[in-house]
């Protein structure tokens, strides 16, 4: 069964450093998403991406964040200058369409900012 | 903010049916009702979704009230592997790409 994969599984970085989280969505999916979950809290939407542009973003997704689909398979989330409060699990998801379709989630990347 | 209300937690015995309720009194005509779950230390997983009619799939059933102001996720025979946080999410198909998550219901399965 096809699945969404994410790398790395755990990333430790120092405050102020740039990080890139990587995702490989399911191959025939056209819509891509990033969510995050701070430990013990609820899942929060960050951004959705379609046709090489952002289709929707939340208030969390400020200028420190960017997304990119550098080739036909990868989907990346970059945090330009990490803060302590960026420590969280980051989940990538993809879907075939955006309407009533289900989103398939990856296993997540745990980001720890020290 | 999430537009759904779910109990914080529920307990059930293994191999018995589980009924997880969700209230969504302000649901609009274009909101689909989605259910996802998150097993411990894993990413969320799609369970089921529906609009008006009851839905069945290999994982669960979704019973939707006639006025659509509430719904119930039914696990027909819970196993220990079904212990997870279950999220009921409304998604407007015409305006939202995102899923807006609440706190969900933590389902505890007793052996």
């Amino acid at each position: 069964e096809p699945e969404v994969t994410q790398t790395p599984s755990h990333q430790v970085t120092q405050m102020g450093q740039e990080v890139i989280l990587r995702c490989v969505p399911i191959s025939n999916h056209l819509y891509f998403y990033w969510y995050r979950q701070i430990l013990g809290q609820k899942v929060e939407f960050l951004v959705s991406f379609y046709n090489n542009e952002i289709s929707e973003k939340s208030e969390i997704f400020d200028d420190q964040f960017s997304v990119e689909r550098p080739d036909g398979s990868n989907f990346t989330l970059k945090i330009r200058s990490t803060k302590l409060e960026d420590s969280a699990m980051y989940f990538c998801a993809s879907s075939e369409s955006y309407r009533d379709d289900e989103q398939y989630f990856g296993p997540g990347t745990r980001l720890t900012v020290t | 903010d999430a537009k759904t209300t779910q109990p914080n937690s529920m307990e059930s015995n293994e191999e018995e049916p589980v009924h997880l309720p969700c209230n969504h009194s302000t649901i609009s005509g274009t909101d689909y009702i989605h259910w996802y779950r998150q097993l411990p230390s894993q990413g969320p997983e799609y369970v089921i979704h529906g609009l008006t009619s009851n839905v069945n799939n290999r994982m669960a059933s979704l019973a939707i009230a006639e006025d659509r102001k509430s719904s119930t996720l039914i696990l027909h025979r819970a196993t220990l592997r079904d212990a997870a946080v279950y999220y009921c999410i409304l998604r407007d198909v015409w305006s939202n790409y995102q899923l807006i998550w609440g706190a969900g219901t933590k389902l505890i399965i007793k052996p």
Side-chain angles (χ1 to χ4, degrees):
Chain A
E1 189 170 321
E3 58 182 18
V4 176
T5 59
Q6 292 185 243
T7 54
S9 57
H10 190 191
Q11 173 95 45
V12 181
T13 189
Q14 288 192 326
M15 197 166 51
Q17 296 296 304
E18 174 183 287
V19 295
I20 298 176
L21 310 182
R22 291 183 167 79
C23 168
V24 179
I26 293 172
S27 61
N28 65 329
H29 285 185
L30 301 176
Y31 296 83
F32 314 113
Y33 314 83
W34 283 101
Y35 294 83
R36 79 172 186 190
Q37 186 174 32
I38 296 170
L39 187 63
Q41 298 187 24
K42 60 185 181 181
V43 178
E44 299 173 291
F45 169 76
L46 293 178
V47 66
S48 61
F49 191 84
Y50 168 70
N51 199 26
N52 280 321
E53 59 183 32
I54 291 173
S55 45
E56 194 172 28
K57 62 181 181 179
S58 72
E59 292 175 355
I60 302 168
F61 194 87
D62 60 22
D63 293 342
Q64 296 282 52
F65 292 89
S66 62
V67 288
E68 194 178 33
R69 188 151 161 84
D71 53 43
S73 59
N74 289 287
F75 179 51
T76 62
L77 174 70
K78 182 193 291 185
I79 309 174
R80 201 180 338 271
S81 177
T82 51
K83 305 191 261 297
L84 294 175
E85 53 265 36
D86 293 327
S87 295
M89 282 291 289
Y90 287 80
F91 296 107
C92 172
S94 69
S95 65
E96 209 169 333
S97 73
Y98 78 92
R99 293 195 170 179
D100 65 342
D101 219 358
E102 57 262 40
Q103 294 182 13
Y104 292 82
F105 285 78
T109 293
R110 177 170 298 285
L111 176 65
T112 302
V113 183
T114 61
Chain B
D1 286 323
K3 299 179 285 185
T4 62
T5 304
Q6 299 177 254
N8 290 333
S9 65
M10 289 182 64
E11 285 190 3
S12 181
N13 294 319
E14 195 178 10
E15 299 191 7
E16 289 185 357
V18 179
H19 290 235
L20 296 164
C22 181
N23 287 316
H24 28 79
S25 58
T26 58
I27 192 169
S28 74
T30 51
D31 280 335
Y32 272 78
I33 302 160
H34 288 249
W35 284 82
Y36 283 76
R37 71 180 185 181
Q38 189 173 22
L39 278 63
S41 302
Q42 294 192 29
E45 176 185 32
Y46 167 81
V47 178
I48 201 167
H49 74 280
L51 183 62
T52 56
S53 304
N54 294 344
V55 185
N56 300 297
N57 66 20
R58 63 177 177 81
M59 286 182 71
S61 295
L62 176 60
I64 300 172
E66 201 168 322
D67 63 5
R68 301 211 321 127
K69 293 186 176 182
S70 65
S71 60
T72 303
L73 178 70
I74 303 164
L75 307 179
H76 294 286
R77 201 163 157 267
T79 67
L80 294 176
R81 197 201 168 272
D82 292 318
V85 179
Y86 286 78
Y87 300 93
C88 169
I89 300 168
L90 299 185
R91 188 155 174 244
D92 185 328
V93 298
W94 295 110
S95 63
N96 290 130
Y97 293 87
Q98 62 180 282
L99 295 169
I100 301 175
W101 304 74
T105 295
K106 183 175 182 177
L107 178 63
I108 298 163
I109 304 296
K110 296 182 288 185

